[in-house]
Amino acid sequence: MSTKNGQQRDGQVERGTFAVKAGLAQMLKGGVIMDVVTADQARIAEEAGACAVMALERVPADIRKDGGVARMSDPRLIKEIMASVTIPVMAKVRIGHFVEAQILEALGVDYIDESEVLTPADESHHINKHSFTIPFVCGCRNLGEALRRIAEGAAMIRTKGEAGTGDVVEAVRHARNVNGAIRRINRMDADELFTFAKEIQAPYELVKETAELNRLPVVNFAAGGVATPADAALMMQLGVDGVFVGSGIFKSDDPAKRAHAIVQAVTHFNDPHILAEVSENLGAPMVGINVTELSEAEKLAERGW
Amino acid sequence: MNEVRLGVLALQGAFREHIAMLKRLNVEAVEVRLAGELDDLDGLIIPGGESTSMGLVAERWGLVEPLRQWVHGGRPTWGTCAGMILLAEHATGQKLGGQALIGGLDVTVNRNYFGRQVDSFEADLDVPVLGDTPFHAVFIRAPAITAVAEGVETLATVASLPDEADSVIAAVRKGTVLATAFHPELTGDLRWHRFFVQIVNDYKSCSG
């Protein structure tokens, strides 16, 4: 067996290729990825139709409340969650903490989220994601940040939003930033593209590829502040491929019902009659924090470079 | 030959990729989310994704029974990966409590047969019905077919574990029903889509 850049060749079989990494994200499209902190919650998420779960010790709302350093979760917890469901299991590592990523790869999780929700381990470098067999998802606020992460090997992108707030405004801002910039570069000529790539600090080749495809070269999900079926459908209509829901489900009154409703809303995001039906009688959503009331230091989306 | 109209089940997963492949063949393709949208279709593709998610959304809006009638009525259907799991009469390795299956293809499918994402892979397969050139297949947390009933034709196999001579079934056809454990829609190779469109055309000219 030979290993090169996280790719393994074994006889006629190749693992860890970019097609395989990005391909799993393509299979998650049109679905909801839910934060869970126990195996029981993972089962509830699977029964509600989640296309994957994010295994972690604390949801972002609690990380915010508790303060202190937020790190990768206990491997025991991640293994319990992996054993409890058949859908893919993701887990988070701190920005730049490649050893936490090596540990998650050894556990065999299906996707790693190099996440600003945890306390960054490196203030200038992200993980070189090409060197892993396991695929990575990373957050972004704009096109430049998305393409820098893809250049580092991310096989899936999500908006950062403002996790743990239940306020969707930042996810909307980030999705509009990314998709608005793509619409603009789609009409640029070659001279303009070179300058634009320099301005957004992204590799020219990826800017060019994005302009030609008229979309990001990898799948792009919404994340950060999604709390209702309407929030999820809003993000889908803004052009994302699927939705992460963090604190929004298990911090609400009736998690199973809300989870189920958000799954239906992501499939039928363009059907207001179905959205009305699934939004009915869900109990109270998570309480939430207005993003405008957060100080700059409290904003998780500012983390990442 | 391109006057057929195909549907791609769009509950969750990689449905847009299938539609893009069909467009390259100049075949009309539409997204199917509700039972009424099955009307006026000549064939249906059930894409890759998470079979549990698709099954639960299908159940919620009463789509499981119409899909069963569609497949059991002999209408042309192609399931890729998760779609293959949904078409199988028997599945192992399911979530606790099982999942809603459409059925219609008398095979036994093992969900995530090859393991988790670290074990996902690409490999060249010999597929005699597609010609001499091997097909470069992408397997993602893929299922495999571990048993087939009489009359189910095996179209491709793949080594069951690296360095092992044993192989498992990766693609089958029974009449108008086609199933692949891998994802032709993630490649640039149109041969599987062309093969399915031919099945749809043959069905239409026989029944029409």
Side-chain angles (χ1 to χ4, degrees), chain A residues 231-246:
Chain A
D231 289 349
L234 171 68
M235 297 311 300
M236 292 297 290
Q237 289 196 25
L238 285 172
V240 300
D241 296 312
V243 175
F244 282 89
V245 186

Side-chain angles (χ1 to χ4, degrees), chain A residues 90-144:
Chain A
M90 302 183 165
K92 289 183 193 289
V93 299
R94 286 178 266 177
I95 289 172
H97 206 316
F98 50 84
V99 173
E100 285 186 348
Q102 290 162 6
I103 291 169
L104 290 187
E105 180 162 88
L107 292 178
V109 302
D110 296 296
Y111 239 92
I112 294 175
D113 183 5
E114 186 183 20
S115 177
E116 70 284 358
V117 168
L118 305 183
T119 310
D122 189 319
E123 291 195 325
S124 46
H125 307 92
H126 282 254
I127 296 170
N128 170 9
K129 294 165 274 286
H130 293 291
S131 63
F132 288 82
T133 306
I134 290 291
F136 282 72
V137 55
C138 288
C140 74
R141 289 161 297 179
N142 52 51
L143 183 60

Side-chain angles (χ1 to χ4, degrees), chain B residues 53-148:
Chain B
S53 303
M54 289 187 217
L56 287 161
V57 180
E59 260 181 333
R60 175 69 173 79
W61 305 101
L63 198 53
V64 175
E65 198 46 43
L67 286 171
R68 275 194 191 130
Q69 284 171 14
W70 170 279
V71 181
H72 289 269
R75 314 290 297 277
T77 313
W78 175 17
T80 53
C81 195
M84 179 172 103
I85 297 172
L86 292 170
L87 288 174
E89 283 289 334
H90 313 281
T92 54
Q94 294 185 69
K95 74 178 173 70
L96 291 174
Q99 63 191 56
L101 296 176
I102 297 165
L105 183 62
D106 199 358
V107 299
T108 302
V109 159
N110 186 326
R111 186 187 160 115
N112 304 139
Y113 176 88
F114 299 96
R116 304 192 72 97
Q117 174 63 10
V118 268
D119 306 302
S120 292
F121 63 96
E122 298 180 45
D124 285 334
L125 307 184
D126 288 322
V127 189
V129 292
L130 298 185
D132 291 338
T133 314
F135 184 85
H136 190 74
V138 181
F139 291 77
I140 295 171
R141 286 171 46 96
I145 293 174
T146 51
V148 295

Side-chain angles (χ1 to χ4, degrees), chain A residues 13-15 17 19-20 23 26-29 46-47 49-51 86-88 108 110 134 264 267-268 274, chain B residues 11-13 17 33 49-50 52-53 56 60-61 95 111-112 116-118 120-122 140-141 162 183 186:
Chain A
V13 169
E14 278 183 285
R15 292 193 190 76
T17 60
V20 159
Q26 286 172 278
M27 297 308 138
L28 299 175
K29 286 193 306 179
E46 183 174 53
E47 284 300 328
C51 66
T86 60
I87 54 180
D110 296 296
I134 290 291
Q264 306 299 329
T267 296
H268 296 287
I274 287 183
Chain B
L11 302 178
Q12 192 271 323
E17 286 80 349
R33 289 186 175 80
E50 283 304 318
T52 49
S53 303
L56 287 161
R60 175 69 173 79
W61 305 101
K95 74 178 173 70
R111 186 187 160 115
N112 304 139
R116 304 192 72 97
Q117 174 63 10
V118 268
S120 292
F121 63 96
E122 298 180 45
I140 295 171
R141 286 171 46 96
H183 296 283
L186 297 187

